[in-house]
């Protein structure tokens, strides 16, 4: 089965959030990628508990570094013409509902503790934002990923009856 989108997790630090995002990918039909190093082992009980048996239903690519991920992404771009990197960022100005998603897009979330480095920001084809109330920093990364995945799928697949 071809997956319309991929959710990429840049060096995730919280196993529960990672498990939740991968479970969401499984339920929505997205592929996933983890860019190492993660802040926990894949055997972590919190990761396993939050992902449950859904982890077996999500195609998951693991990349040992940012460079390995970028090499993989460039290969995807050459083979399919897709693989735009769309970074969720509190530093963006374009809201996630204003962006036009396409099949093959890679939606990326950063580390819960530090986001992503400037090199990743520069490599992104677009940066998108979920607006929050003034004076507040951000939503939980798993909630943010779910909101953006839902909007992207709505645009790509259209409304369901």
């Amino acid at each position: 089965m071809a997956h319309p989108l991929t959710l990429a997790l840049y060096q995730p630090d919280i196993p529960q959030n990672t498990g939740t995002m991968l479970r969401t990918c499984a339920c929505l039909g997205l592929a996933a990628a983890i860019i190492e190093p993660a802040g926990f082992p894949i055997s972590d009980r919190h990761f396993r508990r939050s992902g449950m048996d859904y982890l077996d239903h999500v195609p998951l690519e693991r990349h040992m570094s940012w460079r390995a991920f970028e090499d993989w992404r460039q290969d995807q771009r050459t083979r399919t013409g897709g693989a735009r990197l769309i970074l969720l960022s509190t530093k963006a100005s374009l809201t996630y509902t204003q962006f036009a998603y396409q099949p093959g897009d890679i939606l990326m979330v950063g580390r819960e503790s530090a986001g992503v480095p400037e090199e990743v920001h520069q490599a992104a084809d677009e940066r998108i934002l979920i607006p929050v109330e003034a004076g507040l920093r951000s939503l939980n990364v798993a909630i943010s990923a779910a909101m953006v995945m839902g909007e992207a799928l709505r645009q790509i697949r259209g409304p369901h009856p």
Side-chain angles (χ1 to χ4, degrees), residues 3-153:
H3 297 277
L5 300 164
T6 298
L7 178 67
L9 290 72
Y10 181 86
Q11 299 180 356
D13 347 70
I14 300 176
Q16 296 92 327
N17 283 339
T18 301
T20 298
M21 288 184 280
L22 295 180
R23 180 179 178 177
T24 304
C25 286
C27 289
L28 297 180
L30 274 70
I34 293 179
I35 301 161
E36 300 282 354
F40 54 90
I42 201 91
S43 61
D44 182 279
R45 69 182 175 89
H46 299 293
F47 170 69
R48 289 275 171 215
R49 183 179 297 146
S50 58
M52 299 173 46
D53 57 331
Y54 294 87
L55 297 176
D56 296 332
H57 299 280
V58 60
L60 178 62
E61 293 276 343
R62 292 184 66 197
H63 305 279
M64 297 316 294
S65 67
W66 165 249
R67 179 57 26 221
F69 171 79
E70 272 295 88
D71 291 345
W72 171 81
R73 185 170 77 95
Q74 293 309 320
D75 180 61
Q76 294 296 309
R77 181 169 278 176
T78 300
R79 290 188 314 106
T80 68
R84 293 186 308 172
L85 183 60
I86 315 305
L87 178 64
L88 284 68
S89 172
T90 59
K91 299 174 185 170
S93 57
L94 180 66
T95 66
Y96 78 106
T97 55
Q98 295 173 315
F99 184 72
Y101 302 90
Q102 298 174 2
D105 282 349
I106 300 169
L107 310 172
M108 179 178 277
V109 296
R111 297 182 72 183
E112 294 90 342
S113 64
V116 299
E118 187 59 28
E119 173 185 21
V120 176
H121 270 275
Q122 294 304 315
D125 295 295
E126 190 61 70
R127 287 156 290 288
I128 57 174
L129 168 75
I130 298 173
V132 297
E133 293 294 313
L136 301 178
R137 291 183 308 277
S138 65
L139 294 166
N140 172 280
V141 69
I143 297 296
S144 297
M147 290 174 65
V148 174
M149 287 188 281
E151 174 62 17
L153 288 173

